[in-house]
Amino acid sequence: METKKKPLKLARGLNGEHGQVWEAYLFLTPAFVIAAVFFVAAIVFALYMSFNHVNMISQQFEFTGFKNYIDVFKDNVAMTALKNTALFSVIVVPIQTIIALLIAYALSTRGIKGKKLFRLVYFLPTLTSSAALTLIFMFIFNISGPLNNFLISMGLYQHPINFLQNPAYALKVIMVMNIWSTVPNYMTVYLASLVDLPDSFYEAAEIDGASAWQKLRYITIPYLRPITTYVLLTGIIGTFQMFDQAYIFSNGSGGPDNSTLTIALMVYQYAFGSMNTMGYACTLAIVLTVIIFVVSRLTEKLNGSNGLR
């Protein structure tokens, strides 16, 4: 009798585990459906439209092959947008990463007074919407704004600088704004990681006579390498996708003289503007996706991270 009951118990156990697996899949079904419709299907449809001349008004699709992709690299405006986007990323990402790391290292040092208050005050810009921050910086850098008044009062300039309408300064203003608004977030990420760094490392370094710079270089930076990879990747993705700041700053035009035009803003112009060229907009989006992927993988390799496999 005992030998007959054992297979029965085993079968019941297997049926119970099998039922739990199906219950798990049942609860995950809404997430799968949403991902399939709004992620997978959207990407496939965008890829399909990139090979067509699309008229959204008449709902007509004319297959053009790789013409849209060839036109991207022949389009001087698209090349300007790509150059602006690349320049924005190359300058903003390293600066915001270095500043965030240095501030986090300073705040993690023992003996610093008022650290909690400084963290709270410095983190406030992250809680402010990007649109509000853009309007604030446009007011600061206005031709009659506080910055110009300060520069003139200090005798540094005789006449105000038109930061917002001068192509030489417009993109740089957005860079400053982006760095100022993103550093607190990455500083918090670094601080959260530094909490787990054993104090014994620093104590051993102090016994050997290491300076603060040497402790940062040989202990903190190597320990934070995986976090730095994360900060660099999110920074690259964010800067290459920069849209709202450029849109508000230039009122959607990418001006002055296309100096604030980015790939993401150009995608919006072609997709939802008066040109009715959704196929070309999808092509730009696909090209941007490939660029972000390649740059992200190169960054992982250069930073010595294995990345996600």
Side-chain angles (χ1 to χ4, degrees), residues 231-305:
V231 171
L232 290 173
L233 291 179
T234 54
I236 289 170
I237 294 171
T239 51
F240 268 94
Q241 292 180 338
M242 195 269 289
F243 163 76
D244 51 347
Q245 298 165 355
Y247 179 86
I248 297 171
F249 193 91
S250 64
N251 198 24
S253 66
D257 195 24
N258 289 332
S259 60
T260 61
L261 182 65
T262 62
I263 293 293
L265 179 57
M266 193 173 177
V267 170
Y268 173 84
Q269 291 177 343
Y270 278 90
F272 305 106
S274 59
M275 290 174 279
N276 192 23
T277 49
M278 183 64 74
Y280 190 66
C282 291
T283 304
L284 289 170
I286 298 297
V287 171
L288 178 61
T289 302
V290 173
I291 292 174
I292 292 176
F293 176 79
V294 172
V295 174
S296 298
R297 291 299 296 171
L298 288 176
T299 302
E300 283 185 320
K301 296 298 183 183
L302 290 176
N303 198 48
S305 174

